[in-house]
Structure formats: C-alpha cells, structure tokens
Amino acid sequence: MSGIPQHRRPRRRTTRVLAVAAGIATVGALAAALPASAGQDGGGATGAKGGKRTVDVQLLSFNDFHGNLQTPAGSSGQVVEKQPDGTEKKIDAGGVEYLATSLRTARKHHPYSVTAAAGDLIGASPLLSGLFHDEPTVEAMNKLDLDVSSVGNHEFDEGAKELARIQNGGCHPKDGCYEKDKHGKDKEFRGADYPYLTANVTDEKTGKPLLDPYWVWEHKGVKVGFIGVTLEGTPDIVSADGIKGLKFHDEVETVNKYAKILDKQGVKSIVTLIHEGGSPASQAYNYDCDSPGAGDGISGPITAIAKGITPEVDAIVTGHTHQAYVCTIPDPSGKPRMVTSASSYGKLYTDTTLTYDRRTKDIVRTSVRSANHVVSRTQPKAADMTRLIGRWDKLAAPIANKPVGYISGDIPGRGAGTPESPLGDLISDAQLAHAKSLDPEADLALMNPGGIRSDLVHKASGSEGDGVVTYGEAFTVQPFSNTVNLVDLTGAQLLTGLRQQVSGPNEASPKILQVSDGFTYTLDMTKSGADRVVAGSVRLNGEPLDPDATYRVALNSFLAGGGDGFAELGKGTKPLVGADDLKALNDYFTANSSAAEPIAPPKADRITVVK
C-alpha cells in the first residue's frame, strides 16, 4: 500500500532551524563537524558532479494537543525551564495562535520542512472544540499546515466511524452542520488535510488497517516515510463501544513490518510517529536527557519500544505521557537514535534536523539534531487563528459563559502533581451526591485520574469575574460525557480494585483513584505492587472495610466498564445508570456554592501517602 497524496492543497514554505541553544541533543560526534545549512538545498556535502549530496530536512513535531485552541489555563498552560544556575522557572505557553506563529517562524528560509504529530490532537478537548466534535481543531491543524499524524487513544473517543469522518469530512450524523455559507446553505466540514495513520489498528474482520498505515513525504527527490501507531494498550483506556470490531497490535512488530515495506519501495529514510511515551527524570523541557549516558534520563514504555524498533527507522516522535524530552536511545544495533516528545496542549514544538543523503536515500544518523522550543505567548498571535477562535467562540459563547458555581481559590486537578488532587476530591464528592439522589444507600465514589483534564482556576478567564466557574471551564475538566453509574461491590472487590491502582498494567505507572469524603486508606510507595495499598488502613466513615460486606459504589461508565486496568471494578452487580458526570459536577456546584459562599479547595487528605 502506497502513501496517500501529500496534500489536498498546494505545497508551501521555506525554513531554517531556529538558533535556540537550550535543550539541543545531537546524535553522534559528527554533528559539530557538519556544515551549517547553506544555499537553496539547505547545505550538505558536495557530490562528484558538484551538486549537493546531502540536504537538511527539518522535522517539526508536537503531540497531545487535545483541542487546546485557546491558551490553556493554570499549570496546564505552563512549562518548566531549567536556568543556567540550576533553578527552575515556569513559563506561560501554548494556544494555537502562538503555535501557528512558532511553526511558521521556524519554517522560514528552509526549503525542506515537514510537520508531524504523534496523536491525541483531538479528544478530551475544552468546550470550544469539544462542543463541536473537534471540527475547530481539525480546521486549525489544516491552517497551520500539519502534514501527517499518528492516531492516539483519544482519536477513538467517539468511535471508528467518527474518526473516519474526522479524516474524510462531512457533517456530524446527529448534530449536523454547525455553520452556513454565504448562500445560507449548510457549510460541510472538510475533514483533515493531513493523513491520520493507523498502522497497528486493524479491522477484526478484514485484517486491514483502519486508515493508512504509512505516508511518504516527497520534495525535490527527497523522500521520508512516516509510520504511525498508537499504543497497543489503547483498549484498556478507551470505552469499549468506541473500538468495537477493531484490533490493536504490538507497536514494535507493526513498525518493523512497515519499515520493510517502505524499504522495498525505495524509501530508506523513515520516521515513526507513536502515541506512547516515557517519564523523564526532570520536568524541565530543556534538561539533558542523555546524562550521564544516552537515554539515561528517561524511563517508561517507550524505552523498550525504541530499543526494539528496527534500525531502518531514523527517528521516533512520541506522545501520550504529556512529557517533554529529547533523548537518544540505542536501537537494536546499538546505534543512538533520536526519541522526542513535546509535552502537550501546544506548549512546545520539537525541531529536528534530518540530514538526507541523496546517494543512499537515507538519513545520516550521526548528524541528527533535535531540540524542544517553547511556544511563547510573548510572540505575535497568528491572525487567522484568532479569527478562527473568534468564529467558533461566537457559536459556543451562549453555553460556555454560563456560570455554574463559585470557588474561593485555585482547585488543582491535572496540574496538582500529587496522587490525590483537590479537584479529584471535589469530583468524587459530586458523583457521590448524584449517586445518593438516585439511591440513598450509595456509600462512596471513585474517580479515575485520567478523566480529570484540567484545573479550576480562581482568576477569571474572561468577563465572568474571579472565582466564577463557567460551564466551559467545567466542561474542560470533564469533557468525556461519561455517565455516573452505581454498582454493588464487596469489600474484597474494593480492596482488589485499590490494589489494581499500583499493580498489573498500572504497576509501572500507577493510576491513583480519587475518592469521596469518608473513604480513607494508606498508600505505602516504599513497597512494590499490590502491597503498596495497606489493607488494614482502608476505612469508610471511620469503620474498617469489611471484605464480606456489600457496598454501593458510584463510578463513571469508563471505570464501570473496567477501564484503565481496573478489571475488578468492572465486575459490579445491580447496575444503575445516572446522568453524565458533567451534570453531576454542575449540580453539585449549584447546591453547594454561591457568590457569597464559594466552595473552598478540598484538603486532599483522604489518601495518606508514605514515600
């Protein structure tokens, strides 16, 4: 299968790598000896006939945008920068108006430039994009000239048919078209100009990839192949209905398979886009990931994957963990290979130089250079993106700006950086309150941390006033439209569920459930696996958990289906389905807050953590 045509639009742009020293990594010692980009072809060694044998291909990349068209609020809109004296500084970053400017500036005076992404461009999006099934984000990606992207797990939030619509266009089957053209007719969504790659996602019946498995970028005889995969564990972290009939395959085996196919087609230069990542040793985007040795500054799933991917692949762009790193991890032959990730929400972009040898048609791996750059909010905004945001904001405003509650201070959620977050406590309490309205016998609520997508910030984001929580802000926190479900679980099942936070598929990267008021326990991180949950410490309203008793537990529909590796929670009986989780949160604000008496940030003291 050949790659799809490069674009439905004319080609564009010339660029040059920005001279930013911080965070630069180089594969091999030869980089310093290479000549700087020069001439129309971007510089390189001279061939026997006087032509340029090598050219520098600029690869710009990012990941996990999640529909953040507007500047992300609070800690979600900041990156950490390591200073020369060793201290760390937080910098406000992100927003598509600034991302577009950054990418367009980076491309200037560079004739060979390609822009790629590693999945989760859509899904779990703020209201401005999520309310319209992420059509605004796809439109923005088209405008900033994204060339290609792998899918991520969140591309499957609304199912395979919706992903096909995102790729190919057409109005939403239920909500229809959102805008009218100048003649008053429905303005049809055009779809993504860039291909979404699904090499390791196949139809169970046909065995064929859901969308194209790879794509080939070609410019003036230079060819670079892109293979796109998502994490094999996608079924564990998305709703089962969204991936029904699909099979997710091993990332390494899939990439190696298509690398051979590309090689047979004469495409020797290959980049893998993979929606899986790692955990860096530092949160600073510009730390040295290769200190003291190559790849020593990163751990997690991507390390083993990178070490297994064939040497035919020249660079690996990653995502999923929302982290920032530029590392060289040895390939199976022992040669260092660039592995990058650009945080999330458009706060960073990665600029990688791939030196292409026209004779071998391959990348000179020893010359690969890469660095992460901040999408600063001090630069000019891209005017076309400002217009795009304004257009969609006008449609969303009547819903987005409606006040739903009041808070007396910041309530950190995703940005808390702790196993238990104040916002996690608040959401759990809201779900328990909703559950009790359905069944007064409800005992407790559990909330998955990945379902909390942002923070609630006290400072006004618009004209609503400080401390006011709008519908749009609440939507950004909980955009999935999960229902609040009630199930019966025994005490023994609850204990097993708690242990699954830190064992099995969650042992390497624990997923600590957020708990409602009155449910407490101790998490001993000095131990390993399931032993981290101290069994005798689990209590409900001060009473020890009884393994033989039955408890009525509120869970969102994702957890009730065993999502995030919580298989035991998926075994609940006597199910009762309530309203969606966002309604539960908004109802809780209505019942428990006012301008005169706002909700105070919860103390986040229900889980005792021993380190």
Side-chain angles (χ1 to χ4, degrees):
M1 184 182 298
S2 60
I4 70 172
Q6 186 164 320
H7 275 296
R8 296 198 295 248
R9 60 174 184 268
R11 287 300 295 162
R12 73 277 177 254
R13 71 192 184 221
T14 62
T15 81
R16 172 179 178 154
V17 180
L18 290 175
V20 179
I24 295 178
T26 305
V27 179
L30 294 182
L34 288 174
S37 297
Q40 187 176 2
D41 281 349
T46 303
K49 296 182 179 180
K52 293 290 191 297
R53 175 173 169 177
T54 63
V55 294
D56 286 344
V57 176
Q58 179 190 55
L59 170 61
L60 302 176
S61 59
F62 57 96
N63 51 276
D64 295 276
F65 184 73
H66 288 291
N68 278 261
L69 299 171
Q70 295 167 309
T71 53
S75 59
S76 295
Q78 294 179 325
V79 293
V80 176
E81 182 178 76
K82 188 175 181 179
Q83 303 300 300
D85 63 0
T87 60
E88 293 184 344
K89 176 184 178 182
K90 291 184 177 180
I91 301 174
D92 292 335
V96 78
E97 294 163 295
Y98 302 109
L99 177 62
T101 297
S102 290
L103 295 177
R104 290 165 182 170
T105 301
R107 292 174 187 142
K108 288 180 179 178
H109 312 302
H110 201 299
Y112 297 86
S113 184
V114 57
T115 303
D120 276 9
L121 300 179
I122 60 174
S125 303
L127 182 137
L128 181 63
S129 185
L131 187 64
F132 306 106
H133 301 280
D134 281 310
E135 290 182 18
T137 292
V138 175
E139 181 184 346
M141 294 298 107
N142 289 344
K143 285 180 178 294
L144 60 75
D145 287 334
L146 178 64
D147 287 295
V148 61
S149 180
S150 67
V151 292
N153 53 287
H154 282 287
E155 265 78 20
F156 293 94
D157 281 351
E158 296 189 48
K161 288 185 179 180
E162 174 63 4
L163 175 57
R165 187 186 77 89
I166 289 294
Q167 178 70 89
N168 299 315
C171 294
H172 192 270
K174 291 184 178 179
D175 294 345
C177 301
Y178 297 111
E179 296 181 293
K180 302 288 185 180
D181 63 19
K182 61 182 180 181
H183 302 294
K185 295 182 179 180
D186 284 341
K187 184 178 178 182
E188 187 169 290
F189 172 57
R190 64 180 285 185
D193 285 348
Y194 52 92
Y196 266 118
L197 304 181
T198 61
N200 69 328
V201 186
T202 61
D203 185 292
E204 286 184 344
K205 293 182 180 179
T206 66
K208 295 181 179 180
L210 180 65
L211 299 172
D212 285 319
Y214 62 87
W215 176 81
V216 177
W217 176 83
E218 183 174 6
H219 185 59
K220 295 183 179 179
V222 175
K223 295 182 180 180
V224 180
F226 290 83
I227 302 168
V229 298
T230 186
L231 68 156
E232 184 183 9
T234 292
D236 297 326
I237 54 176
V238 299
S239 297
D241 289 344
I243 56 169
K244 188 176 181 180
L246 300 179
K247 190 172 182 180
F248 292 76
H249 301 270
D250 180 85
E251 305 96 334
V252 173
E253 292 177 2
T254 302
V255 171
N256 292 351
K257 168 186 173 181
Y258 285 105
K260 290 181 179 178
I261 291 174
L262 283 169
D263 183 71
K264 289 181 180 179
Q265 293 181 0
V267 179
K268 308 295 183 180
S269 300
I270 302 173
V271 174
T272 289
L273 308 174
I274 178 169
H275 192 70
E276 179 60 290
S279 301
S282 168
Q283 293 301 302
Y285 79 90
N286 59 335
Y287 82 106
D288 185 359
C289 189
D290 289 334
S291 178
D296 285 344
I298 190 171
S299 60
I302 197 61
T303 57
I305 291 172
K307 291 176 181 178
I309 288 178
T310 173
E312 292 178 283
V313 171
D314 299 294
I316 302 174
V317 177
T318 76
H320 188 55
T321 58
H322 290 208
Q323 301 298 312
Y325 47 83
V326 174
C327 306
T328 54
I329 299 175
D331 68 18
S333 70
K335 292 173 58 180
R337 176 170 53 197
M338 196 64 71
V339 179
T340 69
S341 176
S343 186
S344 61
Y345 304 160
K347 294 180 290 189
L348 299 174
Y349 72 94
T350 311
D351 192 336
T352 301
T353 300
L354 304 172
T355 299
Y356 181 90
D357 188 322
R358 289 187 181 276
R359 180 183 298 174
T360 65
K361 300 181 182 179
D362 206 350
I363 300 299
V364 182
R365 285 264 295 274
T366 52
S367 70
V368 177
R369 309 186 292 281
S370 191
N372 275 328
H373 303 289
V374 178
V375 176
S376 169
R377 296 183 196 170
T378 61
Q379 63 186 317
K381 296 179 180 180
D384 57 337
M385 295 300 175
T386 301
R387 290 192 296 271
L388 181 150
I389 290 173
R391 201 178 84 242
W392 287 102
D393 191 47
K394 185 176 180 180
L395 293 174
I399 298 173
N401 296 333
K402 180 182 177 182
V404 297
Y406 302 85
I407 56 177
S408 64
D410 290 350
I411 304 182
R414 195 170 188 85
T418 52
E420 178 186 1
S421 71
L423 188 51
D425 286 358
L426 178 64
I427 290 171
S428 300
D429 290 347
Q431 294 191 3
L432 179 58
H434 178 71
K436 282 184 175 294
S437 73
L438 303 173
D439 183 349
E441 299 300 317
D443 293 302
L444 68 141
L446 301 174
M447 174 65 190
N448 62 306
I452 304 169
R453 305 305 299 184
S454 188
D455 309 322
L456 288 178
V457 180
H458 184 264
K459 184 178 180 181
S461 58
S463 60
E464 75 276 12
D466 291 349
V468 178
V469 178
T470 65
Y471 183 90
E473 290 166 341
F475 184 98
T476 298
V477 169
Q478 290 195 278
F480 293 111
S481 297
N482 287 314
T483 55
V484 178
N485 293 11
L486 269 169
V487 297
D488 279 359
L489 291 168
T490 66
Q493 286 179 303
L494 270 172
L495 180 58
T496 298
L498 292 177
R499 286 173 167 167
Q500 287 175 340
Q501 301 175 107
V502 288
S503 63
N506 293 330
E507 183 166 3
S509 182
K511 292 183 174 68
I512 306 305
L513 296 168
Q514 308 300 286
V515 300
S516 57
D517 189 28
F519 192 70
T520 60
Y521 70 96
T522 297
L523 189 64
D524 189 347
M525 299 305 288
T526 66
K527 298 180 180 179
S528 61
D531 290 339
R532 288 176 168 175
V533 176
V534 181
S537 70
V538 185
R539 282 174 164 70
L540 179 62
N541 299 323
E543 296 295 324
L545 191 71
D546 183 349
D548 298 320
T550 298
Y551 297 88
R552 198 72 168 142
V553 183
L555 308 162
N556 64 29
S557 48
F558 175 68
L559 278 179
D564 263 355
F566 291 98
E568 197 66 25
L569 300 183
K571 298 177 182 178
T573 59
K574 298 182 180 179
L576 178 62
V577 178
D580 69 77
D581 51 9
L582 180 58
K583 184 179 187 305
L585 179 61
N586 291 342
D587 287 349
Y588 187 80
F589 273 123
T590 299
N592 295 280
S593 74
S594 66
E597 297 184 16
I599 289 179
K603 296 179 180 179
D605 58 359
R606 300 165 189 179
I607 304 172
T608 300
V609 180
V610 178
K611 298 182 181 180

